Amino acid sequence: METVDISTFSLLLAFILLLIPVLLSRFYGLGLIGDLLSSVARMSVQLLLIGVFLKYLFVWNNGLVNLSWLAVMILVAVFSAIRSSAMKPVKVLVPIFVAFSAATFVIVFYLNYFVIKLDDVFDARYLIVLGGMLLGNSLRGNIVGIDHFYRSIRKDTKKYLYVLSLGATHHEALLTYLRESVRLALKPTIAAMATMGIVSLPGMMTGVILGGTSPEVAIKYQIMIMIGIAASTTISVVLTIIMTLPVCFTKYGTLKNDIFVSGSI
Amino acid sequence: MIKFDNVDLAYNGKKVFAGLSLEIKEGEKVAISGRSGIGKSSLFSLILGFTEPAKGKVLFNGICVDEKTAWNVRKQISFIDQDVSVGVNKVSEWISFVAGLKSNSAIDFGEKKVKELMSFFELDHSFFNKNISDLSGGERQRIAIILSALLGRKIFLLDEVTSALDKHLKKKAADFFIGKKEWTVLIISHDSVWVENTPVKVFDLEAGKWKQ
C-alpha cells in the first residue's frame, strides 16, 4: 500500500487552517501572528530544502556522505544545545560535540546492526532518519541536563564548597548534581514512554504506518526508537557533563567564572 | 602551621588586600577583625584553595597550597560557614553523607560520640530524624559544629558559626573550641564572646597586623 501523495494545491489548502490561529490571535490580542507566520515560513522552506536534499542523498546512498551529513546534523544540534544553555560556546563546543557524536553513533549503529540487522549499516534511510530522531530527542534532554548541572553548582556555590571542605573528592562533590541533572534530562522521555500509544500516537509510528507498513511493524520500530532515545539521552548527558568538567572547573575543583555568557546566571 | 607570605588577593581585577603576611602557629586561637568586605572570609578560601592568590603564597605546614596540595589540605581542616548545608533532607542523612565520604572512612562517627556532643550542645536525640528545613538557624549551626568536631581534625576555620545562637550557647560554643589546647582555631565573628576569651589573639586585617 503506497502513501497517498499530497498535491501542491492540496498542501496549500492545509495552509488555510492557519487562518484559525491568526484570527484567534487577532481577536484575543495574543500578538502571535508575526511569530507564527515566520515560523511556518521557516519550517516550510527548511523542510522543502531538506526534502530535496534527502531525495538525492537517498538515491546516492554513499556511506561516507551519509556519515558526513549525520555529523553536520550533530554540529547543528550542538550549537542549538549551547545557545539554549548559559555556557560560552567557545568553551564547551568540542566536548559537547564529542559527547553527542558518541551517543548518536553508538546507538544508531547498534540499532542498525543488531536490532534491524541491516546489510548496510550506513544506509541513508536508516542512518540519517534514526540518527536524526535520536539527536532531536536527546538534544532536549541534554540542554536541560547540562544547564541544570552548571546552574545549580553556581547557585549552590557555598554548599558545593562546604562539601569540598569536608574532604570530598571532585567526583563525590559533583555526584549529587550529576544525579539530579540526568534524572531531569530523562524525565520527559520516561514520561513519554509511560503514556505512549494511549495519550499520543508517536511520530515514528505514524510515519511508518503512513508509509504503508503494518501497525505491528510500526510498533516494533517505535519501541526500538524509544529505547534508543532513552539510552542516547543518558549517554549524551553523562558524557557531556564528564567531558565539560576539565574546561569548566579549575584544578582546585572550583567552578570557573568565565564559562557562562555574562548576565545569563 | 598556616602562613600567608606577602599575599595579594584580587577578584575580577579588583584588589581586596595586598602584601598580607600572617603566621598562625599550632594551637593558637586567632580572631580576624576588620570591616565588612575587607576579605576576612577570603582568608579561609585561600587556605582551602577555593581562591588563588594574585601574588605570594599560602603555606600549610610548610607546603604551598596549590592545585595539587589543596585537596589534601582540606582533609585536615574543619571549615564551618554561617549557613552550611549538603543538600539532604534529614540530620541523620547529613551525618551519613559526611561519614560516607572516602576521606572520612577511617573516622569514628559512633552513636555514643554523636550523642555526647549533641547533649553537650543541648540537642536531644529526636534531632537525628528531623528535617533540616525544620531546624532553626541556631540548631543548624550546632549540628554543623558537632559534625566538625566529629571529623577529628585539629584545625578549625569558623565563619560566623555562632551568629544564630543565644548568649548562653555562644559562650558554650566559644569555650568548646578555645578550651582544646591542641586545636588551632581561626575565627571570623561579630560575637564578642570569642575575643573576651583571653587566649584569643586578634589580627586586624585592615591594618595587616596583630592587635595589642
Side-chain angles (χ1 to χ4, degrees):
Chain A
M1 192 174 66
E2 278 287 307
T3 313
V4 179
D5 193 12
I6 302 174
S7 70
T8 312
F9 175 73
S10 302
L11 188 60
L12 287 175
L13 290 179
F15 278 82
I16 289 176
L17 287 177
L18 280 174
L19 280 173
I20 299 168
V22 166
L23 290 175
L24 281 175
S25 175
R26 222 174 149 167
F27 185 74
Y28 287 109
L30 302 177
L32 283 175
I33 299 173
D35 283 348
L36 178 74
L37 294 183
S38 80
S39 290
V40 169
R42 272 190 65 172
M43 171 192 74
S44 307
V45 173
Q46 282 164 205
L47 287 180
L48 198 74
L49 292 175
I50 210 75
V52 173
F53 185 75
L54 285 181
K55 188 176 151 190
Y56 286 105
L57 208 68
F58 287 177
V59 172
W60 199 6
N61 204 11
N62 177 294
L64 202 64
V65 175
N66 297 344
L67 273 178
S68 309
W69 179 242
L70 191 55
V72 171
M73 287 166 71
I74 292 171
L75 199 62
V76 175
V78 169
F79 272 112
S80 178
I82 297 172
R83 213 178 38 229
S84 308
S85 79
M87 321 288 288
K88 276 187 190 167
V90 69
K91 298 277 173 190
V92 291
L93 181 70
V94 175
I96 297 184
F97 181 75
V98 175
F100 261 102
S101 303
T104 309
F105 283 119
V106 165
I107 301 298
V108 85
F109 283 128
Y110 181 88
L111 296 180
N112 283 357
Y113 189 77
F114 292 106
V115 183
I116 309 174
K117 295 189 170 55
L118 291 177
D119 292 330
D120 177 14
V121 289
F122 300 105
D123 190 324
R125 277 178 59 213
Y126 292 87
L127 184 75
I128 291 170
V129 174
L130 293 180
M133 284 201 75
L134 292 175
L135 258 181
N137 286 280
S138 64
L139 177 67
R140 255 172 286 158
N142 205 291
I143 293 168
V144 170
I146 185 172
D147 212 46
H148 179 81
F149 183 77
Y150 286 104
R151 265 180 204 274
S152 46
I153 293 174
R154 168 52 59 93
K155 195 177 97 225
D156 291 347
T157 301
K158 271 194 156 190
K159 187 169 97 184
Y160 173 73
L161 294 181
Y162 173 64
V163 173
L164 280 183
S165 83
L166 289 167
T169 60
H170 201 198
H171 177 257
E172 283 174 324
L174 295 173
L175 197 58
T176 318
Y177 301 98
L178 182 86
R179 280 185 189 138
E180 273 173 18
S181 305
V182 177
R183 257 186 228 137
L184 214 61
L186 277 176
K187 230 176 169 176
T189 309
I190 292 171
M193 284 198 286
T195 56
M196 195 147 282
I198 302 170
V199 178
S200 64
L201 269 188
M204 173 147 204
M205 197 169 137
T206 321
V208 175
I209 293 173
L210 284 175
T213 312
S214 73
E216 288 98 317
V217 178
I219 286 163
K220 287 184 210 158
Y221 268 86
Q222 187 59 43
I223 292 172
M224 175 196 79
I225 197 70
M226 286 312 293
I227 293 170
I229 288 167
S232 75
T233 306
T234 317
I235 297 174
S236 76
V237 177
V238 173
L239 265 185
T240 299
I241 291 174
I242 289 173
M243 299 202 64
T244 49
L245 294 180
V247 282
C248 295
F249 284 87
T250 65
K251 289 199 169 142
Y252 289 88
T254 54
L255 197 59
K256 286 182 186 170
N257 286 323
D258 62 350
I259 58 163
F260 298 107
V261 175
S262 61
S264 61
I265 288 204
Chain B
M1 171 139 278
I2 297 168
K3 192 175 173 185
F4 291 84
D5 187 6
N6 201 21
V7 171
D8 285 7
L9 180 70
Y11 280 119
N12 302 323
K14 208 177 150 198
K15 190 185 93 176
V16 180
F17 53 71
L20 174 75
S21 289
L22 164 67
E23 187 170 0
I24 294 137
K25 296 194 179 80
E26 192 175 348
E28 278 187 334
K29 318 288 187 266
V30 176
I32 312 291
S33 78
R35 65 182 157 83
S36 219
I38 195 79
K40 299 191 291 288
S41 297
S42 300
L43 285 188
F44 290 0
S45 291
L46 284 163
I47 297 168
L48 292 162
F50 295 152
T51 309
E52 277 181 272
K55 208 188 94 188
K57 279 181 196 169
V58 180
L59 300 156
F60 182 85
N61 282 336
I63 296 162
C64 181
V65 179
D66 61 22
E67 54 192 41
K68 285 197 186 105
T69 57
W71 298 90
N72 198 36
V73 167
R74 289 170 196 157
K75 291 178 194 166
Q76 299 172 60
I77 294 174
S78 264
F79 164 66
I80 320 176
D81 207 339
Q82 196 168 3
D83 187 19
V84 290
S85 75
V86 289
V88 293
N89 297 324
K90 287 185 183 282
V91 172
S92 55
E93 290 169 5
W94 186 359
I95 298 172
S96 306
F97 176 86
V98 177
L101 296 174
K102 264 186 225 151
S103 62
N104 299 335
S105 58
I107 298 165
D108 172 26
F109 281 85
E111 207 180 319
K112 193 179 159 223
K113 214 165 151 189
V114 179
K115 280 183 177 166
E116 264 174 28
L117 282 163
M118 283 182 101
S119 119
F120 179 81
F121 283 104
E122 302 175 18
L123 296 170
D124 64 58
H125 301 158
S126 67
F127 273 86
F128 269 119
N129 295 316
K130 281 201 176 175
N131 279 325
I132 293 168
S133 55
D134 294 337
L135 302 181
S136 69
E139 285 164 345
R140 232 183 359 232
Q141 283 185 336
R142 278 180 279 166
I143 302 276
I145 290 172
I146 291 167
L147 259 171
S148 74
L150 281 170
L151 289 172
R153 301 171 186 178
K154 292 194 167 68
I155 301 138
F156 291 83
L157 307 180
L158 312 177
D159 193 346
E160 299 289 359
V161 290
T162 48
S163 59
L165 300 182
D166 64 29
K167 209 175 162 188
H168 154 74
L169 282 167
K170 279 185 206 290
K171 173 94 173 69
K172 207 165 188 181
D175 289 346
F176 176 75
F177 284 105
I178 291 161
K180 308 277 190 305
K181 272 192 176 167
E182 69 278 21
W183 286 2
T184 308
V185 186
L186 269 75
I187 309 133
I188 297 169
S189 178
H190 285 92
D191 293 326
S192 57
V193 68
W194 292 95
V195 282
E196 282 162 6
N197 268 292
T198 41
V200 176
K201 293 166 74 179
V202 179
F203 184 81
D204 183 350
L205 186 59
E206 218 163 339
K209 58 184 181 189
W210 293 102
K211 267 189 184 172
Q212 296 304 316

